[in-house]
């Protein structure tokens, strides 16, 4: 088995398209390995960073392959009636892989090669939260542009294109710069001075190209409930290096708490399997939300909800899953299979079972607490503004989104590849092709979605409520198109008791599939399609394994 894993790892590397000497040194999606000759004229520090990334991009799929082989071996032994054979050795190897997986998410200490903090993400979540009363969801880039002009950077602004957050279209930044009062009218003089100082703090710590690219992203999108803690932790003073360093420790504390809780609630073996997927998968790697600010609160709340549901604390579980939904909306789908299970007792007894009443009560308590607090924190217009922003965000097209819709609506002949010399942005032709596909292929999408949802419902009827909630994770990429980094929640599949080692092996192979997609395709939209196919296949397999195991266990 180790030899097979090594051969597969070598095949994965060989599949990657080699970079050529005239390609940019800053490789991204499909660059699993870049030889020194391809880097061109770069500094020793840049060359060292590329070497670090090459090592990480080989180590992660290799770890996932080793995990798949180890868990597959255990599943085979169990099926053959020899579940105890080699248990101590397999446990030791699994513990070692779990620790390696935990280190893998942090890129083995290389972080962002080498920075720990992610300025791009930090900017959106700190500036967006701190100045939400003035910026709302639509004025972040407009006001940043006005601050740049005031700082004497008009020449750079004149050639900049930025995202209009009211419709997600790229527009000339000069239009915003022409009338600074469009922004300043929302600020008091004191708040404007504080805002321009915070903008300058970020600008001075980012390369000019990164600063320009930052303003072509999708802005600040958290819910008003996220803003309660997000804004409270920031305070009212100017940003300083010490404060940012302190804030950057929030997510590591959440992550450590998450895995400590997972080990206590589901056992160390399940936690190690989850760590292997979380630490090695490609769509949710550290480069997206690692070193950011308060990006793992929903993940901790979700895992804690699953844990409490397993340990028969339905009110607390409902509260935390409800709170996770108020933080990121889509976790509400985790409760859909549980609601489906509740229909049986409701039809039969004309009332909900006690556990389902507890979950419903906890969820309602989360809403009753979160919504008023968020209105107090962000104002009465925050939720309507969020709803409109969510509508615009959902209608936009992103090349790192994953899901059934990405797979069904893919148009092979319409690539996102930009013409040579132009900025990296999704082309209009690619967007138009996807929109056309959405309007014509919706019957196929609904048919496939219905079949997959039916499969999850079938499996959910045969497992406990807490496992049904975990199976509900699969509804997210079926019904929505989440950004790839939200697939970190798939770590919860490692906790399924009814799937056993077979689901764990499949979870590790899902991680490998993401890297294989990155090796075979270089454009993010192509990688997203291939990864979405693997994701949907995994959901189907995991649901079937969980349901079949439960059926076999029935008397």
């Amino acid at each position: 088995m180790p030899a097979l894993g090594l051969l597969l790892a070598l095949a994965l590397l060989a599949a990657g398209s080699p970079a050529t000497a005239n390609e940019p040194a800053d490789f991204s999606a499909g660059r699993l390995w870049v030889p020194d000759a391809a880097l061109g004229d770069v500094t020793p520090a840049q060359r060292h960073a590329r070497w670090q990334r090459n090592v990480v991009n080989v180590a992660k799929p290799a770890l996932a392959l080793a995990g798949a082989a180890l868990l597959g071996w255990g599943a085979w032994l169990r099926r053959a009636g020899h579940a105890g054979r080699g248990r101590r050795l397999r446990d030791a190897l699994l513990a070692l892989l779990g620790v390696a997986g935990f280190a893998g998410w942090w890129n083995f200490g290389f972080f962002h090669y080498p920075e720990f903090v992610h300025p791009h993400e930090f900017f959106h979540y700190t500036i967006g939260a701190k100045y939400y009363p003035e910026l709302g969801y639509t004025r972040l880039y407009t006001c940043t542009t006005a601050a740049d002009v005031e700082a004497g950077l008009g020449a750079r602004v004149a050639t900049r294109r930025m995202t209009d957050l009211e419709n997600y279209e790229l527009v000339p930044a000069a239009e915003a710069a022409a009338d600074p009062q469009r922004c300043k009218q929302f600020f008091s003089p004191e708040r404007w001075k504080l805002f321009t100082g915070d903008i300058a703090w970020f600008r001075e710590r980012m390369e000019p190209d990164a600063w320009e690219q930052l303003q072509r992203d999708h802005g600040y999108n958290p819910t008003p409930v996220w803003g309660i803690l997000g804004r409270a932790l920031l305070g009212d003073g100017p940003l300083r290096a010490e404060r940012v360093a302190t804030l950057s420790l929030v997510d590591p504390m959440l992550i450590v708490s998450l895995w400590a809780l997972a080990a206590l609630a589901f056992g160390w073996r399940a936690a190690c399997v989850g760590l292997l997927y979380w630490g090695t998968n490609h769509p949710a790697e550290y480069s997206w939300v690692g070193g950011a600010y308060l990006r793992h609160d929903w993940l901790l709340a979700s895992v804690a909800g699953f844990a409490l549901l397993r340990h028969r604390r339905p009110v607390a579980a409902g509260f935390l899953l409800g709170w996770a939904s108020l933080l990121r909306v889509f976790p509400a789908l985790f409760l859909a299979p549980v609601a489906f299970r509740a229909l049986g007792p409701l039809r039969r007894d004309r009332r909900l079972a006690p556990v389902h009443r507890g979950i419903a009560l906890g969820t309602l308590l989360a809403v009753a607490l979160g919504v008023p607090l968020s209105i107090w924190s962000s104002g009465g217009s925050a939720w309507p503004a969020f709803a409109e922003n969510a509508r615009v965000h959902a209608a936009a097209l992103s090349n790192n989104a994953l899901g059934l819709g990405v797979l069904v609506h893919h148009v092979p002949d319409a690539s996102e590849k930009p013409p040579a010399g132009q900025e990296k942005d999704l082309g209009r032709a690619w967007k138009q092709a996807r929109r056309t596909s959405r309007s014509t292929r919706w019957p196929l999408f609904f048919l496939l979605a219905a079949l997959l949802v039916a499969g999850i419902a079938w499996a959910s009827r045969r497992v406990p409520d807490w496992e049904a909630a975990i199976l509900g994770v699969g509804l997210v990429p079926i019904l929505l198109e989440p950004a790839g980094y939200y697939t970190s929640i798939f770590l919860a599949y490692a906790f399924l008791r009814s799937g056993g080692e077979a689901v764990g092996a499949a979870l590790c192979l899902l991680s490998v599939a993401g890297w294989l997609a990155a090796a075979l395709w270089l454009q993010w939209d192509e990688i997203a399609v291939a990864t979405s196919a693997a994701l949907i296949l995994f959901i189907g397999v995991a649901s079937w394994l969980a349901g079949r195991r439960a059926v076999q266990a029935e008397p």
Side-chain angles (χ1 to χ4, degrees), residues 84-165:
R85 182 178 297 176
R87 168 59 71 182
R88 293 182 64 182
L89 173 62
R90 287 186 286 122
D91 280 351
L93 291 173
L94 182 60
L96 183 63
L97 288 173
V99 171
F102 183 80
W105 190 78
W106 313 89
N107 288 335
F108 305 103
F110 295 139
F111 304 117
H112 289 288
Y113 309 101
E115 293 82 5
F116 174 75
V117 173
H118 192 337
H120 185 110
E121 286 294 302
F122 231 90
F123 170 86
H124 285 89
Y125 277 75
T126 56
I127 298 296
K130 186 175 181 178
Y131 298 99
Y132 176 81
E134 293 87 0
L135 300 176
Y137 287 103
T138 61
R139 291 186 289 273
L140 176 59
Y141 300 149
T142 301
C143 295
T144 299
T145 296
D148 281 354
V149 171
E150 193 168 290
L153 301 176
R156 283 171 53 179
V157 169
T159 60
R160 177 189 299 169
R161 297 181 75 204
M162 69 176 194
T163 300
D164 183 342
L165 293 175

Side-chain angles (χ1 to χ4, degrees), residues 95-434:
L96 183 63
L97 288 173
V99 171
F102 183 80
W105 190 78
W106 313 89
N107 288 335
F108 305 103
F110 295 139
F111 304 117
H112 289 288
Y113 309 101
E115 293 82 5
F116 174 75
V117 173
H118 192 337
H120 185 110
E121 286 294 302
F122 231 90
F123 170 86
H124 285 89
Y125 277 75
T126 56
I127 298 296
K130 186 175 181 178
Y131 298 99
Y132 176 81
E134 293 87 0
L135 300 176
Y137 287 103
T138 61
R139 291 186 289 273
L140 176 59
Y141 300 149
T142 301
C143 295
T144 299
T145 296
D148 281 354
V149 171
E150 193 168 290
L153 301 176
R156 283 171 53 179
V157 169
T159 60
R160 177 189 299 169
R161 297 181 75 204
M162 69 176 194
T163 300
D164 183 342
L165 293 175
E166 293 187 0
N167 53 31
Y168 280 24
E169 294 293 332
L170 281 177
V171 298
E175 295 178 2
D179 184 12
Q181 283 303 121
R182 288 174 57 189
C183 277
K184 296 177 73 170
Q185 63 177 316
F186 297 100
F187 288 79
S188 68
E190 295 77 15
R191 289 281 287 178
W192 179 252
K193 181 179 179 181
L194 188 66
F195 173 75
T196 55
D198 287 350
I199 294 297
W201 191 92
F202 277 104
R203 188 197 305 122
E204 291 164 3
R205 285 158 177 79
M206 297 180 69
E207 294 293 330
D209 287 348
W211 184 248
E212 304 296 319
Q213 182 63 35
L214 176 148
Q215 294 169 63
R216 294 194 289 271
D217 207 327
H218 289 169
Y220 170 79
N221 298 299
T223 68
V225 167
W226 185 93
I228 299 170
L229 185 59
R231 190 153 46 257
L233 293 178
L234 286 167
D236 297 323
L239 281 175
R240 295 285 185 266
E242 298 79 9
R243 178 177 290 274
V244 171
T246 301
L247 293 173
S248 70
L249 297 178
V250 172
D251 275 26
M253 289 190 292
L254 295 176
I255 289 168
V256 170
S257 300
L258 185 159
W259 289 111
L261 175 66
L264 288 172
F266 302 104
W268 71 266
R269 293 184 182 87
C272 284
V273 176
L275 279 166
L276 258 177
Y277 169 78
W278 175 77
T280 65
N281 79 94
H282 186 265
E285 62 174 341
Y286 189 85
S287 62
W288 291 105
V289 296
Y293 171 58
L294 210 59
R295 296 302 308 268
H296 292 81
D297 51 354
W298 70 273
L299 190 61
L300 173 59
S302 299
V303 171
F306 298 147
L308 288 167
L309 197 54
R310 182 186 184 187
H311 289 274
R312 298 181 177 86
R313 298 290 186 272
V315 177
F319 181 86
L320 284 173
L321 289 172
W323 195 263
S325 304
L326 290 171
L327 290 170
R328 289 290 160 187
V329 180
F330 65 82
L333 290 174
F334 305 164
L335 289 170
V338 181
F340 176 72
R341 284 174 53 82
L343 291 177
L346 184 62
R347 286 198 305 264
R348 184 179 61 252
D349 303 327
R350 305 297 180 184
R351 61 177 181 173
L352 290 173
V355 63
H356 298 139
R357 287 201 301 272
I359 294 170
L361 175 61
T363 304
L364 290 174
L365 286 173
V367 174
L369 177 65
V371 172
L373 277 177
S374 64
I375 292 173
W376 168 79
S377 174
S378 299
S381 63
W383 280 103
F386 172 76
E388 174 59 19
N389 183 70
R391 183 193 66 79
V392 174
H393 190 77
L397 294 170
S398 177
N399 60 349
N400 72 326
L402 300 177
L404 179 63
V406 172
L407 180 61
V408 171
H409 301 137
H410 177 58
V411 181
D413 294 333
S415 173
E416 65 155 348
K417 298 175 185 177
Q422 294 188 15
E423 63 186 1
K424 293 181 180 180
D425 178 54
L426 302 185
R428 291 184 178 274
W430 182 85
K431 290 183 178 181
Q432 185 56 47
R434 283 289 306 275

